[in-house]
Amino acid sequence: MATQKNKLKEVRLSIPVSPEDIAALEIGTVVYLDGVIYTAREGAYKRILEQGIAPPVDLAQLSNVSFHCSPAAARNDDGSYTVGAVTATASFRFSRWLADWFPASGCKVIIGKGGMSAEDYRTHFVPNGAVYLTTVGYGTGALLGRGIKHVRDAHWLDELGIAQALWVFEVENMGPFLVESDLRGNSLFDRDAERINAGVERLYDGLQPPALSRYGETTSREDEVI
Amino acid sequence: MPQETKRTIPSDLIEATAFELMRRAAIEIPEDFRLGVEAMVDTEAEDLSRFVLESMVENWHAAEEDRRAMCADTGLPRYYVKAGNEAVIGGGFVALERALRRATARATHEIPLRPNRVHPLSRADHNNNVGINAPEIEFSFEPDADWLDITTVHKGGLFGTDYRMLFPGDGKDGIKRFFLDTMMQFGRRGLACQPAIVGIGLGGSKDTSMILGKQAACLRTVGDRHPDPEIAALEVELTELGNNIGMGPMGFVGTSMVVDCHIDVGYTHTGGMPMSVHSFCLSSRRAVARIHPGGEVEYRTDPNWFTPYHRREGIE
């Protein structure tokens, strides 16, 4: 493998990430983070946003970066934690909680896997001055795990289990992440998907369609699939 | 009978070996896969896609240096056991199954692995990756052998897999179309965590085609070709087709989608051609050990699951 200097722009940001730093982010930039971040996914969203249970800690005070993540971690007998690898889980599933999440948490940066829809960025991220960072790979679990210097807390471990608990990490030079959405509502995934889509039809040239279709390949649910 | 005792493979050795396999699978990327991805770094012309591949290679080094899992989503740990026909297991196969379940629970806490396994409805999590029908243990047998091969695979389970009933008239066009559909459907945004080894199960009944495809993805190494020349040629053709979609890692523009494609087949209904597609991931975690009756344990990364006996076609 020949190593080349990568040509991508790279920045290192302190948490809480300032509005100026967020405004300056461009899609496709490589990001490393210093400070405190916490994990929140469906378990925490349901408790806080649907069941109205108060967060275990003042989230806005704690950090403005939340992470769609479950670590490979264990609680030790002495009450400390061992965290090995850390990777994100696919974010699109959490779309339904965004409208309530931003005002409830004060979050300005969501880290996850695979981004969210362009509509989510326009409707929820941009109006709240928030951006989305995607993990790389996926997943660079060992590299991200190295960035965790201390586990400050693991809230709701008994209620939600290790995978869904709300973990609070002190991180140093944690990354790499890629800027997927910016404050103008641009999306890195969308930009590349447009280029890919331009060549999709030619892939199927000359390939006969199968005898039996499937719903999704027909435009109406009243159609038969034969 | 002393002779019987000497040949017996004790279940505590099986448990200790399975624990070590869990650790190796989670931390050490198999060399064949690493070399396959490193070769893609050389051919990938797009900056973003190459950055992703280089980050993954760096991540594997970090995992081995720190002895930490390469990816936090340590998937659904499972086992494939190939027993020599003359292998004798202390306590029998129930003792073996219990040893594998104990090793899974201990490894989940001590490595640590992510306790992914939950009840599908209550979502109860025992924090140990053990539960009803979990971990899966599949068996195969080998003639004229007295050893026990244990393979563990940690494969994610949410994206990159699909099944379709095709028909004989659909032919290779149908296979290619469904392959392309699956690659693009789950390749967008990199949900399948590509580039990966892609396994295809062709034929059998529906469940067999799913099992064969998963085994083809998880239990064959990069560069391995099916002994049937027609199937081997299709493996190469589909690998090239996947890499010409125009999509790379994370769904960015690129040419790195399929590290290798493996197809395994089973005799099927005369009227049908069921097909499954399974993408393994950028952390293709597999580790293998052969336990000999004398207690010697040899570790490797090639499961050698599809032996000529395993793919036998005739009555014997």
Side-chain angles (χ1 to χ4, degrees), chain A residues 192 197 204 207 211-212 217, chain B residues 164 170 177 181 188 253:
Chain A
D192 269 39
N197 288 346
Y204 291 86
L207 297 179
L212 186 73
E217 293 171 344
Chain B
R164 182 163 190 162
D170 293 332
R177 285 187 80 103
D181 286 346
R188 292 185 184 277
V253 175

Side-chain angles (χ1 to χ4, degrees), chain B:
Chain B
M1 292 184 290
Q3 209 178 357
E4 275 295 296
T5 313
K6 201 179 160 201
R7 285 184 57 226
T8 300
I9 297 173
S11 64
D12 57 352
L13 178 61
I14 293 172
E15 183 180 336
T17 305
F19 178 84
E20 175 61 19
L21 285 174
M22 294 288 277
R23 185 190 294 283
R24 287 178 186 233
I27 295 171
E28 299 169 11
I29 195 75
E31 190 184 23
D32 61 281
F33 186 75
R34 179 177 56 78
L35 293 173
V37 171
E38 286 180 353
M40 286 181 140
V41 174
D42 292 334
T43 53
E44 181 56 71
E46 292 283 335
D47 285 340
L48 264 176
S49 285
R50 202 173 55 248
F51 172 73
V52 178
L53 297 177
E54 286 173 344
S55 297
M56 290 311 301
V57 173
E58 195 187 339
N59 184 64
W60 296 327
H61 289 305
E64 291 190 22
E65 268 174 37
D66 297 0
R67 303 305 294 166
R68 66 169 88 223
M70 65 182 94
C71 179
D73 186 348
T74 46
L76 300 178
R78 61 189 294 146
Y79 296 96
Y80 295 90
V81 175
K82 194 182 280 291
N85 192 42
E86 280 79 45
V88 180
I89 295 158
F93 282 96
V94 169
L96 182 151
E97 289 191 320
R98 286 177 174 156
L100 297 184
R101 289 171 79 89
R102 280 196 297 267
T104 304
R106 192 158 64 86
T108 299
H109 185 73
E110 289 183 25
I111 294 175
L113 305 177
R114 199 164 95 188
N116 275 335
R117 293 278 195 174
V118 301
H119 187 284
L121 291 176
S122 74
R123 312 310 289 181
D125 188 342
H126 301 315
N127 283 333
N128 63 8
N129 280 316
V130 175
I132 300 170
N133 282 310
E136 295 86 352
I137 304 171
E138 287 181 48
F139 290 94
S140 168
F141 304 99
E142 191 66 11
D144 307 317
D146 57 4
W147 40 253
L148 189 68
D149 269 5
I150 301 175
T151 298
T152 189
V153 167
H154 301 177
K155 184 185 179 303
L158 303 187
F159 311 108
T161 295
D162 205 355
Y163 160 82
R164 182 163 190 162
M165 179 57 84
L166 298 171
F167 296 91
D170 293 332
K172 287 183 184 157
D173 277 7
I175 293 170
K176 287 178 192 170
R177 285 187 80 103
F178 184 50
F179 173 79
L180 283 171
D181 286 346
T182 310
M183 289 297 101
M184 284 196 289
Q185 186 176 341
F186 296 108
R188 292 185 184 277
R189 295 168 185 262
L191 289 180
C193 297
Q194 73 270 10
I197 299 173
V198 179
I200 290 175
L202 211 51
S205 52
K206 289 182 183 73
D207 54 337
T208 317
S209 98
M210 286 299 285
I211 288 167
L212 283 172
K214 181 143 191 166
Q215 293 179 349
C218 298
L219 302 178
R220 291 176 57 191
T221 57
V222 175
D224 179 46
R225 290 277 73 86
H226 197 283
D228 179 326
E230 189 185 3
I231 296 171
L234 190 57
E235 290 177 340
V236 172
E237 195 178 350
L238 291 182
T239 302
E240 288 170 2
L241 189 63
N243 288 330
N244 280 315
I245 290 174
M247 192 186 284
M250 295 177 71
F252 295 142
V253 175
T255 54
S256 312
M257 195 72 180
V258 182
V259 182
D260 204 351
C261 177
H262 299 309
I263 304 172
D264 266 274
V265 303
Y267 270 45
T268 191
H269 191 291
T270 184
M273 187 171 64
M275 169 170 170
S276 75
V277 181
H278 299 251
S279 297
F280 209 166
C281 64
L282 263 169
S283 302
S284 289
R285 292 157 294 196
R286 58 172 135 79
V288 193
R290 174 164 296 180
I291 308 177
H292 293 278
E296 189 195 349
V297 180
E298 297 170 286
Y299 290 95
R300 62 183 204 265
T301 54
D302 180 355
N304 194 21
W305 179 258
F306 289 98
T307 60
Y309 175 75
H310 193 99
R311 286 190 180 121
R312 65 199 180 277
E313 191 165 4
I315 291 171
E316 296 295 323

Side-chain angles (χ1 to χ4, degrees), chain A residues 37-40 65-69 86-88 111-112 135 144 174 177:
Chain A
I37 67 173
Y38 62 93
T39 68
V65 181
S66 73
F67 194 179
H68 291 154
C69 158
V86 179
T87 34
I111 306 172
T135 51
L144 297 182
M174 189 192 204
F177 305 108

Side-chain angles (χ1 to χ4, degrees), chain A residues 129-179:
Chain A
V131 296
Y132 183 102
L133 305 182
T134 178
T135 51
V136 174
Y138 311 89
T140 50
L143 291 177
L144 297 182
R146 271 184 174 180
I148 293 177
K149 292 306 161 192
H150 181 61
V151 179
R152 187 183 284 184
D153 262 313
H155 299 289
W156 291 340
L157 207 49
D158 293 332
E159 295 87 343
L160 295 174
I162 286 172
Q164 295 278 346
L166 196 153
W167 292 80
V168 182
F169 299 132
E170 293 170 17
V171 307
E172 186 183 311
N173 203 23
M174 189 192 204
F177 305 108
L178 282 167
V179 180

